[in-house]
Amino acid sequence: MIPSLTPTSTIHRPKRGYLLSIHYDANGPNVQYGSYRTGLAFAIYSGRVIVETLFFPHWEQEKETRRVRYLNETFDYKTLEQIVSIASLEEFRRECNQTVKAIIVDPDTLLDRESYKKRADAYERIYDIRFPKLKDIRNDSYARILSRQDASSIMCLGIWEPSFWKSELPFSQDILNSVDKHMVYAPEIQNIGRTISRQICHGKPYLALHWRNKTGERCGHPNNICKEPDLMVNISKTAHVAAKDLRVFMLAHNLSCMYIALPVFAKEMVRLLKDANVRNVVSKDDIRPPKYPDFTDVKHDAYLWSLVEEDICLRSEIFVATKYSSWSKQVRRIREAAGNGTIVSLPDIVTWIAEGVVLK
């Protein structure tokens, strides 16, 4: 297991103290990245040291590799440290006596007891970090700590679900753009993504597609029993149309190769694209020797492979994104911050969508 950040007591820490970005729910890793991204921006704005976080796998993760993941096996924390100081969890526990003194809460969010207890219990169990009492969080002196001056006297501060805030965040878009430019993947992930992207179209530009739809996922989840056969038929009909529309789109943009990133339950789309005469369709199953190095270990780890595929999509000439997916949003944010190529939403390409199907 890759260790978390090396704790140190010698690094200079700003007087404004620490910021723990608090997020805990059943969403996948990319929602977690988005939450930490906003926490990073708030730390920069407030002049605080951001505390590392743990990331939890998607429900598709294989049992043998199902474990929490560290910041430094997901992102290049040395690049992040160019814009913000990062503290290990061990350092925070030591310097803050394992306790968050106060928590910044969205002024438009009313914390309920059940939600607060769920996260407080999780952080004590997983992180060995304790939260203040809920009655203290409801006090305006804590709940509305939005300015640097108000928070400056609190050493050990948390921010509650930063990416879910309804009110306007106090920092500028420029800070978020800076975070996106520096929130690059771990060096190992970048190296694999770079190697694969150079082989997809023999060094020529390629299109990357993220294919995933919420309607199909309802029947793909192992805990769900699909009771909507008509919906599955309509998803298949829509996929046939989408495959033909993507071929037309690629021809119009003079692109002859595609990389498709998709969940296991949606693999039929690869066949449909080939049946629609989309040339040179490459997916996870095609990344194998002799054309590519042997990445078997990474391919068998859904968490790491998802990061590799996001990196591949970052390097494409055109990225076709699903509109509301957090996976696509993660790629979109980094591409936009870097000014990297064209991004198109899948619903803007597909000319017909069957009833009940949502290309999210």
Side-chain angles (χ1 to χ4, degrees):
M1 182 179 292
I2 296 176
S4 65
L5 304 181
T6 303
T8 176
S9 59
T10 58
I11 188 169
H12 171 71
R13 296 303 188 193
K15 293 181 180 179
R16 295 193 186 279
Y18 299 96
L19 183 70
L20 181 72
S21 184
I22 298 168
H23 172 82
Y24 183 78
D25 63 15
N27 281 304
N30 284 282
V31 173
Q32 299 167 49
Y33 305 156
S35 182
Y36 196 63
R37 164 188 180 253
T38 312
L40 284 163
F42 202 103
I44 294 170
Y45 165 79
S46 59
R48 287 180 169 267
V49 178
I50 188 75
V51 182
E52 69 167 325
T53 193
L54 301 176
F55 300 116
F56 299 89
H58 195 270
W59 56 263
E60 287 186 314
Q61 186 75 31
E62 306 87 345
K63 287 185 179 179
E64 58 270 23
T65 56
R66 181 174 288 274
R67 61 176 176 83
V68 297
R69 304 304 172 110
Y70 294 111
L71 178 66
N72 59 347
E73 64 181 314
T74 304
F75 298 105
D76 185 348
Y77 78 93
K78 290 184 178 179
T79 300
L80 278 175
E81 283 192 317
Q82 294 175 11
I83 56 172
V84 65
S85 293
I86 306 174
S88 68
L89 286 162
E90 183 173 336
E91 178 183 332
F92 180 81
R93 285 191 290 261
R94 183 183 68 243
E95 298 298 324
C96 295
N97 194 29
Q98 300 171 276
T99 303
V100 180
K101 177 65 175 176
I103 297 177
I104 304 171
V105 179
D106 174 9
D108 292 335
T109 295
L110 181 63
L111 290 184
D112 63 90
R113 186 175 298 279
E114 182 179 350
S115 176
Y116 189 79
K117 186 178 186 304
K118 176 182 176 181
R119 286 159 178 78
D121 290 348
Y123 268 71
E124 186 165 0
R125 182 181 72 254
I126 299 168
Y127 294 93
D128 195 19
I129 292 173
R130 294 182 291 274
F131 288 0
K133 295 182 183 300
L134 178 57
K135 66 180 179 62
D136 294 327
I137 299 297
R138 292 183 182 278
N139 187 292
D140 279 353
S141 63
Y142 285 168
R144 298 182 183 273
I145 299 175
L146 296 176
S147 71
R148 301 181 185 185
Q149 292 76 21
D150 292 341
S152 61
S153 62
I154 300 173
M155 184 70 174
C156 305
L157 190 65
I159 181 168
W160 185 267
E161 296 290 0
S163 63
F164 294 159
W165 277 38
K166 300 174 184 177
S167 57
E168 184 177 354
L169 290 160
F171 45 78
S172 68
Q173 184 62 40
D174 289 343
I175 292 181
L176 281 170
N177 290 341
S178 180
V179 171
D180 291 335
K181 288 178 182 178
H182 290 82
M183 207 170 177
V184 298
Y185 299 121
E188 178 189 9
I189 300 300
Q190 291 189 62
N191 289 337
I192 297 173
R194 185 182 302 110
T195 299
I196 293 173
S197 65
R198 288 173 176 171
Q199 295 296 321
I200 289 172
C201 208
H202 306 289
K204 297 178 182 178
Y206 61 92
L207 178 143
L209 166 66
H210 181 213
W211 176 263
R212 173 262 183 114
N213 63 80
K214 292 284 189 180
T215 39
E217 189 162 345
R218 285 198 304 225
C219 297
H221 197 292
N223 293 330
N224 290 345
I225 299 175
C226 188
K227 299 178 180 179
E228 302 175 85
D230 291 342
L231 175 60
M232 298 308 294
V233 170
N234 283 348
I235 290 173
S236 181
K237 290 179 179 178
T238 302
H240 277 81
V241 174
K244 295 175 182 178
D245 289 337
L246 284 161
R247 178 179 181 273
V248 172
F249 182 85
M250 289 178 67
L251 289 171
H253 290 82
N254 196 30
L255 294 172
S256 57
C257 304
M258 171 195 288
Y259 186 88
I260 177 171
L262 73 175
V264 174
F265 60 81
K267 277 189 174 183
E268 182 192 12
M269 189 60 182
V270 177
R271 179 184 63 79
L272 295 180
L273 287 165
K274 293 178 179 179
D275 288 350
N277 294 319
V278 176
R279 297 169 55 194
N280 303 316
V281 179
V282 179
S283 68
K284 174 183 177 179
D285 291 343
D286 300 303
I287 308 302
R288 60 181 185 271
K291 183 175 181 180
Y292 299 91
D294 189 355
F295 295 126
T296 301
D297 290 345
V298 180
K299 287 174 66 178
H300 286 172
D301 187 328
Y303 183 90
L304 295 180
W305 189 252
S306 178
L307 292 173
V308 168
E309 291 196 311
E310 288 182 11
D311 192 83
I312 292 170
C313 290
L314 288 174
R315 300 174 189 275
S316 65
E317 180 72 14
I318 296 178
F319 174 53
V320 179
T322 52
K323 193 169 184 180
Y324 300 113
S325 162
S326 58
W327 198 101
S328 278
K329 285 181 180 178
Q330 173 72 7
V331 175
R332 179 188 291 272
R333 284 194 297 259
I334 299 175
R335 284 184 67 113
E336 287 177 345
N340 183 16
T342 303
I343 305 169
V344 181
S345 291
L346 182 61
D348 293 336
I349 295 176
V350 180
T351 56
W352 177 83
I353 300 174
E355 182 180 358
V357 176
V358 181
L359 294 179
K360 285 191 174 184

